[in-house]
Amino acid sequence: MTTYSTVSKLLMTRRSPFTTTVLSRQKLQNHFTQSSRKCLSTTSRQNPMTESPSVTMYSGTSRPRPYHLKHPPPQTKRDLPRIKSNWPTILAFSVVGVAGWAVFLAYVTNQEKISSSVVKQIMRELRVDEELRVVLGDAIRMQGEWWLNGDPRIIGSISTMQGNIDISFRIKGSRGTGTVYFTSIRREKGVPFEILRFKVIADDGTIIYKNLKT
């Protein structure tokens, strides 16, 4: 009876469609499991892992750290170089520039005095003066200075608009040299100039006085 009941149960199980479906699913699962194992074994043989992967476990959400922790300031190994002051250089260039401008202005002013009508008229009177030719000789002319490139130096001011002329300069002839002094003013506008001083002092001490109306 036992054998007959067992066989009948097996037959019933085979004939049951539900049982057949379950068995087919198990076969498919077994087939896929065996295939995946074969693939894993083949991959592990081709690319064997030398080291086990590291796994990091986090207990909670991350929080942003302060900026100075991520970007620490660089450590200075030595003191910063001191910046040199440029004031001495600027002052030196300023002094040189002002001095150069002053020299240029003096040169231009001196050239204007040389070419003025007052100086030219004075030189005409000196060249024809007989007493002065006896003391200084012939070819009386203005004495040049080497630092003015041979041009004479005229000291003083010539201001015909304001009515004031006061100059002095060096002259020379074939026998000697001397200094001319000339001073003239105009007391009122529209009246002629009045000569206050016109003389030549030679280097030997001789003084020659002249009268000149301008």
Side-chain angles (χ1 to χ4, degrees):
M1 291 294 290
T2 306
T3 305
Y4 178 77
S5 61
T6 304
V7 172
S8 62
K9 288 180 180 180
L10 289 173
L11 291 174
M12 290 177 66
T13 305
R14 289 179 181 177
R15 291 176 182 177
S16 176
F18 179 76
T19 305
T20 305
T21 305
V22 172
L23 289 175
S24 62
R25 287 182 179 179
Q26 288 180 354
K27 289 180 180 180
L28 289 173
Q29 289 180 356
N30 293 334
H31 177 72
F32 284 119
T33 303
Q34 291 176 0
S35 300
S36 61
R37 286 178 180 177
K38 289 180 181 179
C39 292
L40 288 173
S41 61
T42 306
T43 306
S44 61
R45 289 175 184 177
Q46 292 179 356
N47 299 322
M49 297 180 64
T50 56
E51 296 181 359
S52 60
S54 60
V55 180
T56 304
M57 301 297 293
Y58 296 96
S59 60
T61 58
S62 62
R63 296 181 179 180
R65 292 185 296 173
Y67 182 83
H68 68 275
L69 295 178
K70 294 183 179 180
H71 306 277
Q75 297 180 358
T76 56
K77 297 181 179 180
R78 58 184 180 86
D79 296 336
L80 295 175
R82 295 182 179 179
I83 301 176
K84 295 182 179 179
S85 178
N86 295 328
W87 281 109
T89 305
I90 297 174
L91 183 60
F93 276 105
S94 300
V95 171
V96 172
V98 171
W101 178 255
V103 171
F104 175 76
L105 188 61
Y107 177 79
V108 172
T109 305
N110 187 71
Q111 292 296 320
E112 291 179 355
K113 293 176 184 178
I114 293 173
S115 59
S116 65
S117 60
V118 175
V119 175
K120 290 180 179 180
Q121 187 173 355
I122 291 173
M123 288 304 302
R124 282 196 296 267
E125 291 291 328
L126 294 176
R127 290 190 184 100
V128 298
D129 187 82
E130 294 295 335
E131 186 179 359
L132 185 61
R133 295 175 67 179
V134 172
V135 178
L136 299 182
D138 297 330
I140 297 174
R141 59 195 181 278
M142 301 178 70
Q143 184 178 356
E145 302 290 345
W146 63 270
W147 49 274
L148 288 174
N149 197 20
D151 294 331
R153 180 191 179 191
I154 299 178
I155 303 173
S157 62
I158 300 176
S159 179
T160 56
M161 298 297 294
Q162 296 179 0
N164 184 16
I165 301 172
D166 187 10
I167 57 174
S168 65
F169 56 91
R170 297 277 297 172
I171 61 173
K172 66 179 181 179
S174 59
R175 297 179 184 177
T177 58
T179 305
V180 179
Y181 297 93
F182 181 84
T183 303
S184 178
I185 60 173
R186 185 176 57 189
R187 299 185 183 277
E188 295 180 3
K189 190 175 182 179
V191 300
F193 279 87
E194 179 182 352
I195 299 173
L196 301 180
R197 181 181 62 168
F198 185 24
K199 64 181 179 180
V200 178
I201 301 178
D203 292 344
D204 59 1
T206 305
I207 301 176
I208 300 97
Y209 291 97
K210 293 288 297 179
N211 291 323
L212 178 66
K213 293 182 180 180
T214 60

PDB file of all heavy atoms in Angstrom, residues 123 125-142 171-174 176 180:
ATOM      1  N   MET A 123      76.426 150.437 -28.166  1.00  0.00           N
ATOM      2  CA  MET A 123      77.647 149.981 -28.832  1.00  0.00           C
ATOM      3  C   MET A 123      78.024 150.908 -29.986  1.00  0.00           C
ATOM      4  O   MET A 123      79.218 151.137 -30.244  1.00  0.00           O
ATOM      5  CB  MET A 123      77.450 148.548 -29.338  1.00  0.00           C
ATOM      6  CG  MET A 123      77.424 147.497 -28.234  1.00  0.00           C
ATOM      7  SD  MET A 123      78.914 147.527 -27.186  1.00  0.00           S
ATOM      8  CE  MET A 123      80.204 147.264 -28.376  1.00  0.00           C
ATOM      9  N   GLU A 125      77.606 154.144 -30.055  1.00  0.00           N
ATOM     10  CA  GLU A 125      78.237 155.308 -29.434  1.00  0.00           C
ATOM     11  C   GLU A 125      79.644 154.989 -28.927  1.00  0.00           C
ATOM     12  O   GLU A 125      80.546 155.826 -29.007  1.00  0.00           O
ATOM     13  CB  GLU A 125      77.385 155.816 -28.282  1.00  0.00           C
ATOM     14  CG  GLU A 125      76.077 156.433 -28.714  1.00  0.00           C
ATOM     15  CD  GLU A 125      76.300 157.755 -29.462  1.00  0.00           C
ATOM     16  OE1 GLU A 125      77.283 158.462 -29.138  1.00  0.00           O
ATOM     17  OE2 GLU A 125      75.493 158.071 -30.349  1.00  0.00           O
ATOM     18  N   LEU A 126      79.849 153.776 -28.417  1.00  0.00           N
ATOM     19  CA  LEU A 126      81.167 153.423 -27.885  1.00  0.00           C
ATOM     20  C   LEU A 126      82.206 153.253 -28.997  1.00  0.00           C
ATOM     21  O   LEU A 126      83.382 153.574 -28.808  1.00  0.00           O
ATOM     22  CB  LEU A 126      81.068 152.134 -27.063  1.00  0.00           C
ATOM     23  CG  LEU A 126      80.240 152.219 -25.775  1.00  0.00           C
ATOM     24  CD1 LEU A 126      80.160 150.854 -25.116  1.00  0.00           C
ATOM     25  CD2 LEU A 126      80.845 153.243 -24.802  1.00  0.00           C
ATOM     26  N   ARG A 127      81.811 152.760 -30.159  1.00  0.00           N
ATOM     27  CA  ARG A 127      82.765 152.512 -31.238  1.00  0.00           C
ATOM     28  C   ARG A 127      83.304 153.813 -31.849  1.00  0.00           C
ATOM     29  O   ARG A 127      84.438 153.847 -32.355  1.00  0.00           O
ATOM     30  CB  ARG A 127      82.104 151.667 -32.337  1.00  0.00           C
ATOM     31  CG  ARG A 127      81.827 150.226 -31.912  1.00  0.00           C
ATOM     32  CD  ARG A 127      81.405 149.391 -33.113  1.00  0.00           C
ATOM     33  NE  ARG A 127      81.046 148.038 -32.726  1.00  0.00           N
ATOM     34  CZ  ARG A 127      79.809 147.602 -32.563  1.00  0.00           C
ATOM     35  NH1 ARG A 127      78.775 148.449 -32.752  1.00  0.00           N
ATOM     36  NH2 ARG A 127      79.575 146.371 -32.217  1.00  0.00           N
ATOM     37  N   VAL A 128      82.480 154.877 -31.796  1.00  0.00           N
ATOM     38  CA  VAL A 128      82.926 156.129 -32.412  1.00  0.00           C
ATOM     39  C   VAL A 128      83.497 157.103 -31.380  1.00  0.00           C
ATOM     40  O   VAL A 128      83.893 158.235 -31.757  1.00  0.00           O
ATOM     41  CB  VAL A 128      81.761 156.802 -33.164  1.00  0.00           C
ATOM     42  CG1 VAL A 128      81.278 155.900 -34.287  1.00  0.00           C
ATOM     43  CG2 VAL A 128      80.614 157.157 -32.224  1.00  0.00           C
ATOM     44  N   ASP A 129      83.579 156.715 -30.116  1.00  0.00           N
ATOM     45  CA  ASP A 129      84.095 157.610 -29.081  1.00  0.00           C
ATOM     46  C   ASP A 129      85.625 157.623 -29.141  1.00  0.00           C
ATOM     47  O   ASP A 129      86.287 156.587 -28.990  1.00  0.00           O
ATOM     48  CB  ASP A 129      83.607 157.147 -27.705  1.00  0.00           C
ATOM     49  CG  ASP A 129      83.980 158.135 -26.619  1.00  0.00           C
ATOM     50  OD1 ASP A 129      83.252 159.127 -26.462  1.00  0.00           O
ATOM     51  OD2 ASP A 129      84.981 157.890 -25.923  1.00  0.00           O
ATOM     52  N   GLU A 130      86.207 158.808 -29.330  1.00  0.00           N
ATOM     53  CA  GLU A 130      87.661 158.947 -29.473  1.00  0.00           C
ATOM     54  C   GLU A 130      88.373 158.711 -28.144  1.00  0.00           C
ATOM     55  O   GLU A 130      89.446 158.103 -28.102  1.00  0.00           O
ATOM     56  CB  GLU A 130      87.985 160.343 -30.018  1.00  0.00           C
ATOM     57  CG  GLU A 130      87.485 160.585 -31.435  1.00  0.00           C
ATOM     58  CD  GLU A 130      88.182 159.674 -32.449  1.00  0.00           C
ATOM     59  OE1 GLU A 130      89.321 159.227 -32.166  1.00  0.00           O
ATOM     60  OE2 GLU A 130      87.586 159.411 -33.499  1.00  0.00           O
ATOM     61  N   GLU A 131      87.826 159.221 -27.072  1.00  0.00           N
ATOM     62  CA  GLU A 131      88.473 159.055 -25.765  1.00  0.00           C
ATOM     63  C   GLU A 131      88.543 157.568 -25.368  1.00  0.00           C
ATOM     64  O   GLU A 131      89.545 157.110 -24.820  1.00  0.00           O
ATOM     65  CB  GLU A 131      87.701 159.856 -24.716  1.00  0.00           C
ATOM     66  CG  GLU A 131      88.369 159.859 -23.349  1.00  0.00           C
ATOM     67  CD  GLU A 131      87.580 160.698 -22.347  1.00  0.00           C
ATOM     68  OE1 GLU A 131      86.540 161.275 -22.742  1.00  0.00           O
ATOM     69  OE2 GLU A 131      87.998 160.762 -21.179  1.00  0.00           O
ATOM     70  N   LEU A 132      87.470 156.835 -25.671  1.00  0.00           N
ATOM     71  CA  LEU A 132      87.473 155.407 -25.337  1.00  0.00           C
ATOM     72  C   LEU A 132      88.430 154.641 -26.235  1.00  0.00           C
ATOM     73  O   LEU A 132      89.084 153.675 -25.777  1.00  0.00           O
ATOM     74  CB  LEU A 132      86.047 154.849 -25.481  1.00  0.00           C
ATOM     75  CG  LEU A 132      85.838 153.395 -25.067  1.00  0.00           C
ATOM     76  CD1 LEU A 132      86.170 153.205 -23.583  1.00  0.00           C
ATOM     77  CD2 LEU A 132      84.403 152.958 -25.333  1.00  0.00           C
ATOM     78  N   ARG A 133      88.604 155.042 -27.476  1.00  0.00           N
ATOM     79  CA  ARG A 133      89.524 154.359 -28.381  1.00  0.00           C
ATOM     80  C   ARG A 133      90.967 154.573 -27.969  1.00  0.00           C
ATOM     81  O   ARG A 133      91.824 153.714 -28.211  1.00  0.00           O
ATOM     82  CB  ARG A 133      89.300 154.856 -29.811  1.00  0.00           C
ATOM     83  CG  ARG A 133      87.919 154.477 -30.343  1.00  0.00           C
ATOM     84  CD  ARG A 133      87.672 155.073 -31.713  1.00  0.00           C
ATOM     85  NE  ARG A 133      88.556 154.496 -32.718  1.00  0.00           N
ATOM     86  CZ  ARG A 133      88.529 154.844 -34.009  1.00  0.00           C
ATOM     87  NH1 ARG A 133      87.648 155.763 -34.427  1.00  0.00           N
ATOM     88  NH2 ARG A 133      89.347 154.292 -34.871  1.00  0.00           N
ATOM     89  N   VAL A 134      91.233 155.708 -27.329  1.00  0.00           N
ATOM     90  CA  VAL A 134      92.593 155.922 -26.829  1.00  0.00           C
ATOM     91  C   VAL A 134      92.908 154.951 -25.701  1.00  0.00           C
ATOM     92  O   VAL A 134      94.035 154.455 -25.580  1.00  0.00           O
ATOM     93  CB  VAL A 134      92.758 157.384 -26.360  1.00  0.00           C
ATOM     94  CG1 VAL A 134      94.107 157.589 -25.655  1.00  0.00           C
ATOM     95  CG2 VAL A 134      92.648 158.337 -27.544  1.00  0.00           C
ATOM     96  N   VAL A 135      91.931 154.662 -24.860  1.00  0.00           N
ATOM     97  CA  VAL A 135      92.158 153.779 -23.703  1.00  0.00           C
ATOM     98  C   VAL A 135      92.112 152.304 -24.100  1.00  0.00           C
ATOM     99  O   VAL A 135      92.996 151.521 -23.725  1.00  0.00           O
ATOM    100  CB  VAL A 135      91.120 154.071 -22.604  1.00  0.00           C
ATOM    101  CG1 VAL A 135      91.314 153.123 -21.425  1.00  0.00           C
ATOM    102  CG2 VAL A 135      91.249 155.515 -22.142  1.00  0.00           C
ATOM    103  N   LEU A 136      91.094 151.881 -24.862  1.00  0.00           N
ATOM    104  CA  LEU A 136      90.909 150.459 -25.183  1.00  0.00           C
ATOM    105  C   LEU A 136      91.436 150.076 -26.550  1.00  0.00           C
ATOM    106  O   LEU A 136      91.633 148.890 -26.818  1.00  0.00           O
ATOM    107  CB  LEU A 136      89.406 150.093 -25.112  1.00  0.00           C
ATOM    108  CG  LEU A 136      88.733 150.299 -23.743  1.00  0.00           C
ATOM    109  CD1 LEU A 136      87.278 149.868 -23.797  1.00  0.00           C
ATOM    110  CD2 LEU A 136      89.467 149.542 -22.644  1.00  0.00           C
ATOM    111  N   GLY A 137      91.666 151.025 -27.430  1.00  0.00           N
ATOM    112  CA  GLY A 137      92.145 150.716 -28.774  1.00  0.00           C
ATOM    113  C   GLY A 137      91.007 150.618 -29.761  1.00  0.00           C
ATOM    114  O   GLY A 137      89.846 150.976 -29.484  1.00  0.00           O
ATOM    115  N   ASP A 138      91.336 150.117 -30.953  1.00  0.00           N
ATOM    116  CA  ASP A 138      90.354 150.015 -32.016  1.00  0.00           C
ATOM    117  C   ASP A 138      89.567 148.702 -31.889  1.00  0.00           C
ATOM    118  O   ASP A 138      89.833 147.852 -31.043  1.00  0.00           O
ATOM    119  CB  ASP A 138      91.052 150.078 -33.376  1.00  0.00           C
ATOM    120  CG  ASP A 138      91.757 151.416 -33.579  1.00  0.00           C
ATOM    121  OD1 ASP A 138      91.272 152.418 -33.012  1.00  0.00           O
ATOM    122  OD2 ASP A 138      92.797 151.440 -34.272  1.00  0.00           O
ATOM    123  N   ALA A 139      88.599 148.582 -32.795  1.00  0.00           N
ATOM    124  CA  ALA A 139      87.763 147.367 -32.856  1.00  0.00           C
ATOM    125  C   ALA A 139      87.110 147.078 -31.509  1.00  0.00           C
ATOM    126  O   ALA A 139      87.215 145.967 -30.959  1.00  0.00           O
ATOM    127  CB  ALA A 139      88.580 146.167 -33.328  1.00  0.00           C
ATOM    128  N   ILE A 140      86.411 148.082 -30.988  1.00  0.00           N
ATOM    129  CA  ILE A 140      85.714 147.883 -29.699  1.00  0.00           C
ATOM    130  C   ILE A 140      84.463 147.037 -29.934  1.00  0.00           C
ATOM    131  O   ILE A 140      83.657 147.328 -30.813  1.00  0.00           O
ATOM    132  CB  ILE A 140      85.348 149.250 -29.081  1.00  0.00           C
ATOM    133  CG1 ILE A 140      86.624 150.049 -28.781  1.00  0.00           C
ATOM    134  CG2 ILE A 140      84.516 149.063 -27.826  1.00  0.00           C
ATOM    135  CD1 ILE A 140      86.363 151.460 -28.297  1.00  0.00           C
ATOM    136  N   ARG A 141      84.326 146.042 -29.135  1.00  0.00           N
ATOM    137  CA  ARG A 141      83.206 145.102 -29.265  1.00  0.00           C
ATOM    138  C   ARG A 141      82.877 144.509 -27.897  1.00  0.00           C
ATOM    139  O   ARG A 141      83.635 144.703 -26.934  1.00  0.00           O
ATOM    140  CB  ARG A 141      83.554 143.988 -30.243  1.00  0.00           C
ATOM    141  CG  ARG A 141      84.781 143.183 -29.831  1.00  0.00           C
ATOM    142  CD  ARG A 141      85.305 142.342 -30.984  1.00  0.00           C
ATOM    143  NE  ARG A 141      86.459 141.557 -30.605  1.00  0.00           N
ATOM    144  CZ  ARG A 141      87.707 142.023 -30.561  1.00  0.00           C
ATOM    145  NH1 ARG A 141      87.959 143.301 -30.883  1.00  0.00           N
ATOM    146  NH2 ARG A 141      88.702 141.221 -30.237  1.00  0.00           N
ATOM    147  N   MET A 142      81.772 143.800 -27.848  1.00  0.00           N
ATOM    148  CA  MET A 142      81.367 143.158 -26.598  1.00  0.00           C
ATOM    149  C   MET A 142      82.216 141.903 -26.365  1.00  0.00           C
ATOM    150  O   MET A 142      82.531 141.169 -27.293  1.00  0.00           O
ATOM    151  CB  MET A 142      79.876 142.778 -26.646  1.00  0.00           C
ATOM    152  CG  MET A 142      78.956 143.979 -26.879  1.00  0.00           C
ATOM    153  SD  MET A 142      77.205 143.532 -27.005  1.00  0.00           S
ATOM    154  CE  MET A 142      76.848 143.074 -25.328  1.00  0.00           C
ATOM    155  N   ILE A 171      83.276 144.939 -22.383  1.00  0.00           N
ATOM    156  CA  ILE A 171      83.712 145.242 -23.739  1.00  0.00           C
ATOM    157  C   ILE A 171      85.228 145.096 -23.815  1.00  0.00           C
ATOM    158  O   ILE A 171      85.925 145.091 -22.787  1.00  0.00           O
ATOM    159  CB  ILE A 171      83.290 146.664 -24.161  1.00  0.00           C
ATOM    160  CG1 ILE A 171      83.926 147.697 -23.227  1.00  0.00           C
ATOM    161  CG2 ILE A 171      81.774 146.795 -24.208  1.00  0.00           C
ATOM    162  CD1 ILE A 171      83.693 149.151 -23.668  1.00  0.00           C
ATOM    163  N   LYS A 172      85.721 144.974 -25.019  1.00  0.00           N
ATOM    164  CA  LYS A 172      87.167 144.867 -25.215  1.00  0.00           C
ATOM    165  C   LYS A 172      87.555 145.515 -26.539  1.00  0.00           C
ATOM    166  O   LYS A 172      86.748 145.617 -27.462  1.00  0.00           O
ATOM    167  CB  LYS A 172      87.627 143.417 -25.182  1.00  0.00           C
ATOM    168  CG  LYS A 172      87.114 142.569 -26.330  1.00  0.00           C
ATOM    169  CD  LYS A 172      87.656 141.153 -26.227  1.00  0.00           C
ATOM    170  CE  LYS A 172      87.161 140.284 -27.391  1.00  0.00           C
ATOM    171  NZ  LYS A 172      87.701 138.897 -27.308  1.00  0.00           N
ATOM    172  N   GLY A 173      88.817 145.949 -26.592  1.00  0.00           N
ATOM    173  CA  GLY A 173      89.379 146.540 -27.794  1.00  0.00           C
ATOM    174  C   GLY A 173      90.724 145.913 -28.093  1.00  0.00           C
ATOM    175  O   GLY A 173      91.106 144.886 -27.508  1.00  0.00           O
ATOM    176  N   SER A 174      91.463 146.537 -28.982  1.00  0.00           N
ATOM    177  CA  SER A 174      92.774 146.002 -29.349  1.00  0.00           C
ATOM    178  C   SER A 174      93.825 146.237 -28.270  1.00  0.00           C
ATOM    179  O   SER A 174      94.865 145.585 -28.273  1.00  0.00           O
ATOM    180  CB  SER A 174      93.236 146.634 -30.664  1.00  0.00           C
ATOM    181  OG  SER A 174      93.321 148.066 -30.523  1.00  0.00           O
ATOM    182  N   GLY A 176      92.879 146.831 -24.632  1.00  0.00           N
ATOM    183  CA  GLY A 176      92.458 146.444 -23.291  1.00  0.00           C
ATOM    184  C   GLY A 176      90.964 146.155 -23.226  1.00  0.00           C
ATOM    185  O   GLY A 176      90.251 146.165 -24.229  1.00  0.00           O
ATOM    186  N   VAL A 180      81.042 148.378 -19.053  1.00  0.00           N
ATOM    187  CA  VAL A 180      80.122 149.467 -19.354  1.00  0.00           C
ATOM    188  C   VAL A 180      78.984 149.431 -18.341  1.00  0.00           C
ATOM    189  O   VAL A 180      78.401 148.362 -18.065  1.00  0.00           O
ATOM    190  CB  VAL A 180      79.577 149.341 -20.783  1.00  0.00           C
ATOM    191  CG1 VAL A 180      78.598 150.480 -21.082  1.00  0.00           C
ATOM    192  CG2 VAL A 180      80.717 149.335 -21.791  1.00  0.00           C
TER     193      VAL A 180
END
